[in-house]
């Protein structure tokens, strides 16, 4: 079953875990000390790290052989 972008964005951490926790990480914009940053979480919701830019967050995810997904 193919999912569109809207459907993928609405998946819960539990849903993501069910489709491949070892293959997916998601990025969520956050604010740290008044500055925009990006939290990286495993598909099961486990916090992994924080990056200073979206580009760095995606690079870190890909360097760890995971597929990045945006979370809102």
């Amino acid at each position: 079953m193919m999912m569109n972008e809207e459907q993928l964005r609405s998946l819960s951490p539990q849903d993501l875990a069910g489709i491949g926790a070892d293959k997916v990480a998601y990025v969520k914009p956050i604010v740290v000390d008044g500055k925009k940053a990006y939290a990286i979480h495993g598909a099961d919701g486990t916090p992994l790290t924080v990056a200073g830019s979206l580009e760095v967050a995606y690079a870190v995810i890909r360097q760890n052989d995971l597929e990045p997904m945006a979370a809102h």
Side-chain angles (χ1 to χ4, degrees), residues 30-38 52:
I30 61 171
V31 176
V32 177
D33 295 330
K35 296 181 184 177
K36 190 169 187 177
Y38 296 86

Side-chain angles (χ1 to χ4, degrees), residues 2-69:
M2 292 294 287
M3 299 178 85
N4 64 36
E5 185 176 347
E6 183 177 323
Q7 291 169 316
L8 288 171
R9 290 181 185 272
S10 68
L11 292 173
S12 70
Q14 293 79 19
D15 293 333
L16 288 172
I19 63 171
D22 61 338
K23 296 181 176 91
V24 176
Y26 67 91
V27 180
K28 180 170 104 175
I30 61 171
V31 176
V32 177
D33 295 330
K35 296 181 184 177
K36 190 169 187 177
Y38 296 86
I40 301 172
H41 294 266
D44 63 355
T46 303
L48 301 175
T49 193
V50 174
S53 73
L54 186 58
E55 293 79 15
V56 170
Y58 276 36
V60 167
I61 292 169
R62 289 190 177 112
Q63 286 175 346
N64 286 280
D65 297 321
L66 298 171
E67 188 63 32
M69 304 211 41

